[in-house]
Amino acid sequence: MKIPKRIQPLVDDGLVDEVKSQLMSGKEASVYIVRCGETIRCAKVYKEISQRSFKKAAAYREGRKVRNSRRARAMEKGSGFGRDQQEKVWQNAEVDALYKLAAAGVRVPQPFGCFDGVLLMELVTDDEGYVAPRLNDVLMSEEQAIEDHLVMMSYVVKMLCVGLIHGDLSEFNVLVDEYGPVIIDLPQAVDASANNNAEWMLTRDINNIRDYYAQFAPQLAQTEYAKEIWSLFEKGELKPDSELSGTYQEVETAADIDIIMQEIDAARAAELERRERAKEASEGIDDSKFNWSES
Ligand SMILES: Nc1ncnc2c1ncn2[C@@H]1O[C@H](COP(=O)(O)OP(=O)(O)OP(=O)(O)O)[C@@H](O)[C@H]1O
Ligand SMILES: [Mg+2]
């Protein structure tokens, strides 16, 4: 096909040899199948900031670090230069996340860099070489659903262990190849420790995935992975290979309240006694107890 304008610089630089076809054009990007030498790859072209639906951008951006202070100030001011910088941070967030996650053992498309707002990555395919389907188009047995759900939970844990939350995880952002689920679409990945919305974003991600697999394995609907994983993470006890049960023990508030009530009662009794003694002391200084004659 005719080379799209945004991919032309990559062709000029010898990174891409041919654009085969357009896979889709979404809200935030257009995705193409390209040929780089002998290999077929995927090119994701980010839309310009003005064409994107940026509904919750601020919630996602929170905690994202910008080391260069001129850049950070410009981004806050929202100047032309600032918007440009914000755009670069947004575009690089996905490729950075892909490298980080691949290294952490999470299955994502292998990245080959981001150039002028075009992300080059592995094209995920099925066993016949066709573009892999999205999870929402895949039906499966109960057994398979339980197995893949567990794999996805282990990916969420591994992500969190390198400080990331997907932020838009659902059956629409997971591809399925012959080895299992592959996570895609990460430009909004959230910094788990620096973002105040981290807990609800993680919970939403986990529950979307749970609800999808629960269609095939209804027992999954009762699981509490979000609470379990978040509570381990908060305590600093989450490890990439943490064994999870999918259950969560609410803190035993009844027992705690009993102890607190006992302590309040004891403190109240002690205070009453102290007041009683103070009263006795001020009212009843009993002169007879002193033997004035002796002094
Ligand atoms: N590496 C890949 N291999 C195969 N297909 C891919 C790959 N990356 C993306 N796709 C396909 O392109 C679609 C859009 O990609 P992605 O989700 O990253 O972009 P998006 O602009 O956020 O789209 P949407 O708004 O639909 O979520 C995916 O649903 C998937 O079908
Ligand atoms: Mg998507």
Side-chain angles (χ1 to χ4, degrees):
M1 66 177 272
K2 186 171 172 289
I3 292 166
K5 204 170 102 229
R6 296 278 306 279
I7 301 190
Q8 190 61 48
L10 284 80
V11 175
D12 297 341
D13 289 345
L15 291 158
V16 168
D17 291 298
E18 190 192 340
V19 180
K20 307 280 274 180
S21 62
Q22 180 165 19
L23 243 178
M24 56 69 66
S25 175
K27 300 183 296 292
E28 270 140 19
S30 300
V31 179
Y32 296 88
I33 300 180
V34 298
R35 182 175 60 79
C36 309
E38 297 292 284
T39 47
I40 297 298
R41 285 184 183 157
C42 181
K44 180 169 177 179
V45 181
Y46 297 102
K47 297 214 161 134
E48 310 276 332
I49 215 163
S50 55
Q51 295 166 22
R52 283 202 307 260
S53 65
F54 229 48
K55 40 181 178 4
K56 291 185 215 112
Y60 287 105
R61 256 195 335 261
E62 194 185 298
R64 229 171 232 183
K65 289 181 197 64
V66 177
R67 290 196 202 287
N68 177 319
S69 62
R70 176 166 173 245
R71 194 187 283 181
R73 278 197 306 276
M75 279 170 58
E76 274 160 26
K77 279 207 297 242
S79 63
F81 174 72
R83 269 196 304 277
D84 216 44
Q85 293 304 324
Q86 216 164 63
E87 193 71 5
K88 287 213 165 68
V89 170
W90 168 264
Q91 289 170 356
N92 283 314
E94 179 155 32
V95 76
D96 291 349
L98 289 175
Y99 280 115
K100 218 169 168 181
L101 295 182
V106 177
R107 278 203 71 209
V108 292
Q110 188 189 346
F112 300 104
C114 186
F115 313 91
D116 298 325
V118 181
L119 166 63
L120 278 183
M121 61 182 148
E122 168 195 0
L123 180 74
V124 182
T125 57
D126 65 13
D127 51 354
E128 289 167 40
Y130 293 110
V131 179
R134 295 193 298 192
L135 178 59
N136 73 299
D137 289 322
V138 180
L139 304 178
M140 65 192 91
S141 65
E142 179 178 343
E143 214 181 356
Q144 189 69 59
I146 290 170
E147 191 183 319
D148 286 2
H149 174 262
L150 210 59
V151 169
M152 284 298 296
M153 291 304 109
S154 83
Y155 290 164
V156 168
V157 168
K158 288 186 168 82
M159 279 178 85
L160 199 49
C161 287
V162 293
L164 287 180
I165 294 170
H166 188 293
D168 191 20
L169 193 61
S170 73
E171 63 273 29
F172 302 101
N173 283 328
V174 176
L175 302 178
V176 184
D177 72 3
E178 57 181 316
Y179 305 106
V182 183
I183 297 177
I184 61 162
D185 201 3
L186 289 134
Q188 69 294 311
V190 170
D191 182 337
S193 57
N195 194 307
N196 286 320
N197 309 304
E199 183 179 2
W200 76 256
M201 283 188 185
L202 180 85
T203 303
R204 191 184 53 186
D205 280 2
I206 291 178
N207 292 349
N208 282 343
I209 294 301
R210 175 197 65 192
D211 295 346
Y212 187 77
Y213 288 111
Q215 296 175 82
F216 310 103
Q219 65 271 42
L220 290 175
Q222 315 304 324
T223 58
E224 300 262 31
Y225 284 96
K227 282 183 181 162
E228 186 185 15
I229 292 171
W230 183 259
S231 119
L232 288 171
F233 175 69
E234 262 192 323
K235 287 188 275 179
E237 290 171 8
L238 192 68
K239 302 278 171 310
D241 55 358
S242 284
E243 288 257 339
L244 301 175
S245 64
T247 59
Y248 178 74
Q249 213 77 51
E250 295 287 343
V251 180
E252 301 222 349
T253 43
D256 283 358
I257 287 174
D258 276 354
I259 292 171
I260 292 167
M261 290 314 290
Q262 278 170 22
E263 279 174 11
I264 291 173
D265 286 347
R268 187 181 289 140
E271 175 63 11
L272 280 175
E273 206 182 307
R274 190 190 64 77
R275 280 195 206 164
E276 202 60 38
R277 263 187 279 120
K279 196 167 151 220
E280 264 175 31
S282 63
E283 283 174 0
I285 295 178
D286 184 355
D287 282 357
S288 66
K289 284 189 183 149
F290 295 92
N291 189 341
W292 300 103
S293 61
E294 257 178 32
S295 56

